[in-house]
Amino acid sequence: MLLYPLCLYLSNTHEVRSNPEEGKGRTDIILKAKSSKYTSYVIEFKHGKKEDNLDKLAKDAIKQIKEKKYDVNLTGRIIHIGLGLYSKNVAMEWVVK
């Protein structure tokens, strides 16, 4: 997966956590900035059964991040990233908090 090398690269500046219990559930990936000069990221994946609803899945992922407060332990600049996936196709939404 493409995100694994990215997370490995960011490990010097971010604490990388997969499936951590945060807020009211478990998110897929949190990249928590080790310094306030960096941005923290909350990443949520939604897998679909067909290609035509990927945008909706990405929006649903963002909604889930907000509703379940996955960013409760993060401070500073935070970006929520929602990914809708089907086969090799992906749609992405992001929101800067």
Side-chain angles (χ1 to χ4, degrees):
M1 177 180 265
L2 177 65
L3 285 178
Y4 181 75
L6 174 65
C7 291
L8 190 58
Y9 176 76
L10 291 173
S11 65
N12 289 331
T13 57
H14 290 75
E15 177 185 335
V16 180
R17 295 186 288 157
S18 176
N19 283 316
E21 192 168 330
E22 296 291 336
K24 299 178 182 178
R26 292 184 181 273
T27 189
D28 292 315
I29 297 174
I30 289 184
L31 300 170
K32 183 178 182 180
K34 292 181 180 178
S35 166
S36 61
K37 68 180 180 177
Y38 299 112
T39 301
S40 293
Y41 302 88
V42 180
I43 304 170
E44 183 66 27
F45 302 98
K46 292 289 183 188
H47 298 274
K49 296 181 178 162
K50 56 184 179 175
E51 187 175 349
D52 60 354
N53 66 347
L54 296 182
D55 291 328
K56 181 184 180 318
L57 290 172
K59 287 178 178 44
D60 289 347
I62 294 290
K63 182 179 175 186
Q64 181 175 330
I65 291 169
K66 290 178 182 179
E67 286 178 354
K68 296 202 175 194
K69 301 180 182 184
Y70 290 154
D71 61 0
V72 69
N73 293 318
L74 301 176
T75 58
R77 186 168 190 246
I78 303 166
I79 296 180
H80 298 167
I81 300 173
L83 298 169
L85 307 162
Y86 173 75
S87 186
K88 293 184 180 183
N89 301 305
V90 64
M92 183 170 101
E93 284 279 326
W94 70 90
V95 175
V96 178
K97 182 177 176 189

